[in-house]
Amino acid sequence: MNEVLLRSLTPSVLGILVRRGVDFAAAEDAVQDALVEAVRVWPTGPPRDPKGWLVTVAWRRFLDATRADTARRRREDLVDEEPAPGPASAVDDTLQLYFLCAHPSLTPSSAVALTLRAVGGLTTRQIAQAYLVPEATMAQRISRAKRTVTGVRFDQPGDVATVLRVLYLVFNEGYSGDVDLAAEAIRLTRQLAAAIDHPEVAGLLALMLLHHARRAARTAPDGSLVPLAEQDRGRWDTKSIAEGVEILQAALARDRLGEFQAQAAIAALHADAPTAEETDWVQIVEWYDELARLTDSPIVRLNRAVAVGEADGPRAGLAALTALDDSLPRHAAVAAYLHERDGDLATAARLYAEAAQKAPNLAERDHLTRQAARLNARRCR
């Protein structure tokens, strides 16, 4: 069973049902039923046209559910509209579906959560981690969003800012999480940049390209994480870096700064440094100041503390850290790094071990555990 194929076809099938007048919640249920059926029957008899097969089965599942309802006449009309078996349209509806899910009847945060779950393919746990909320809270938010759009006609697409937020979170999960969605997020953002002349769209595309350019160097052959300072910069994709910098410069020249442009500027400064020691940390701190002004995000301030520690010394970084809630994700890891640079190996080892217990994925947990073990070994010499 090709799970990647099923994942790639899901948005298009969902989009076809929505355009045929099926409300979003019912369409999602029907598509999920079709995916379950595909998992059951495809291994023994894969169809020649997987997308057409999914559309047909999803439509029939929707009709089966509708027949159990009270609207008899409407159900009969829908039966007449059943698409004939055969090749389905090759049009890519994914980006359009992102806009449809960013519906004006939803708050931006609910629209993002619903789109990540229904179109992006992320789990409720992954979305909750991105929003720094408990999984149960996010599950309730997604359920409320589904109830809100049930019965709503999707003829009022949402705004660009909400779609950008979804694409950003999908990319982040694909880049560092359990599901590889980074390339798909870049593809969709390219489509959006080609369709909309907007500096923040360009900023997001530049940010994605600059981060993705380092991907090959982020892990060792055994799968372990390689920190930015230790990466082999010869493995960075210079073509993607050049493209990202060019796109960013054009966006910044329009003097309409937004958070994605500021993040891309930080990524560009890292990419521009021939070695980790030559990184312009003073400029990076200045860009983090701009980013904090734009977003007031605690995660931004956490990353800024690292930059301050590099620019002005570890004690300055630790001082910046004291203003932040120590329950923030990766707070313990940042504190451990700064304490290690300040020479307090015992505290650093303890904090690395604490951070490992809170790590969001196995690769990060293993990395932090090794850091703690390394420092403990040094202390025992």
Side-chain angles (χ1 to χ4, degrees):
M1 169 53 56
N2 192 332
E3 294 183 6
V4 174
L5 175 61
L6 286 177
R7 184 184 296 277
S8 67
L9 292 174
T10 297
S12 292
V13 177
L14 188 57
I16 289 170
L17 266 65
V18 169
R19 290 203 306 277
R20 288 180 171 272
V22 182
D23 73 64
F24 188 87
E28 186 185 17
D29 289 342
V31 172
Q32 291 300 319
D33 287 344
L35 293 175
V36 170
E37 185 68 6
V39 171
R40 187 181 70 84
V41 305
W42 283 14
T44 56
R48 284 181 294 181
D49 178 19
K51 181 177 176 181
W53 187 97
L54 286 171
V55 170
T56 300
V57 172
W59 186 263
R60 288 173 179 165
R61 290 295 185 273
F62 167 68
L63 294 182
D64 289 344
T66 305
R67 291 190 185 97
D69 220 6
T70 57
R72 170 63 63 181
R73 282 177 296 179
R74 177 58 183 150
R75 292 200 301 272
E76 292 173 352
D77 291 341
L78 290 172
V79 171
D80 293 337
E81 295 172 10
E82 179 179 340
S89 169
V91 175
D92 183 357
D93 302 302
T94 308
L95 189 57
Q96 181 187 11
L97 199 57
Y98 271 60
F99 272 96
L100 292 176
C101 288
H103 197 272
S105 63
L106 296 171
T107 63
S109 61
S110 294
V112 170
L114 178 62
T115 312
L116 289 172
R117 182 71 185 92
V119 188
L122 273 64
T123 66
T124 303
R125 175 183 60 80
Q126 290 167 328
I127 302 170
Q129 288 176 347
Y131 270 88
L132 310 181
V133 300
E135 184 174 347
T137 301
M138 183 53 65
Q140 292 175 354
R141 185 180 299 179
I142 293 172
S143 295
R144 284 197 300 270
K146 288 181 179 180
R147 287 196 298 270
T148 299
V149 299
T150 296
V152 171
R153 293 288 298 183
F154 281 79
D155 54 1
Q156 295 178 276
D159 66 346
V160 174
T162 300
V163 174
L164 289 178
R165 177 63 51 190
V166 175
L167 290 168
Y168 173 67
L169 291 173
V170 169
F171 176 81
N172 278 348
E173 190 60 47
Y175 188 69
S176 62
D178 303 321
V179 182
D180 187 0
L181 297 169
E184 174 68 358
I186 292 174
R187 183 183 71 83
L188 292 173
T189 306
R190 282 192 187 279
Q191 285 186 11
L192 189 58
I196 299 177
D197 184 18
H198 192 300
E200 273 293 83
V201 176
L204 179 58
L205 179 56
L207 174 63
M208 289 180 175
L209 290 170
L210 289 164
H211 276 305
H212 206 60
R214 304 199 302 257
R215 188 167 189 178
R218 289 184 71 246
T219 54
D222 62 0
S224 60
L225 289 182
V226 180
L228 176 61
E230 300 172 16
Q231 288 176 15
D232 177 0
R233 299 185 178 217
R235 299 185 65 196
W236 289 1
D237 183 348
T238 55
K239 182 178 178 181
S240 291
I241 290 173
E243 182 186 4
V245 169
E246 182 180 359
I247 293 170
L248 172 63
Q249 288 174 338
L252 291 175
R254 300 176 65 176
D255 199 23
R256 290 168 55 192
L257 184 63
E259 63 172 295
F260 295 122
Q261 295 169 73
Q263 287 192 57
I266 293 169
L269 286 167
H270 283 297
D272 187 55
T275 66
E277 292 72 25
E278 296 173 86
T279 303
D280 190 343
W281 287 106
V282 173
Q283 270 206 73
I284 288 176
V285 171
E286 291 173 355
W287 276 111
Y288 270 122
D289 288 338
E290 289 286 348
L291 191 54
R293 179 182 60 81
L294 290 166
T295 67
D296 195 30
S297 164
I299 297 299
V300 168
R301 296 187 185 280
L302 183 68
N303 291 332
R304 178 185 177 278
V306 176
V308 169
E310 298 289 353
D312 301 326
R315 294 193 179 182
L318 287 167
L321 203 59
T322 59
L324 301 174
D325 186 343
D326 61 9
S327 67
L328 279 173
R330 298 187 172 88
H331 185 285
V334 170
Y337 173 73
L338 292 171
H339 276 291
E340 179 184 356
R341 288 200 60 223
D342 195 40
D344 187 351
L345 302 189
T347 300
R350 175 179 58 79
L351 287 169
Y352 275 130
E354 178 184 323
Q357 295 177 350
K358 301 176 182 178
N361 55 66
L362 182 60
E364 189 168 337
R365 185 178 69 194
D366 288 348
H367 170 71
L368 293 167
T369 300
R370 282 194 295 271
Q371 295 293 83
R374 173 179 58 81
L375 293 187
N376 283 326
R378 283 179 58 185
R379 291 171 56 223
C380 293
R381 289 175 187 169

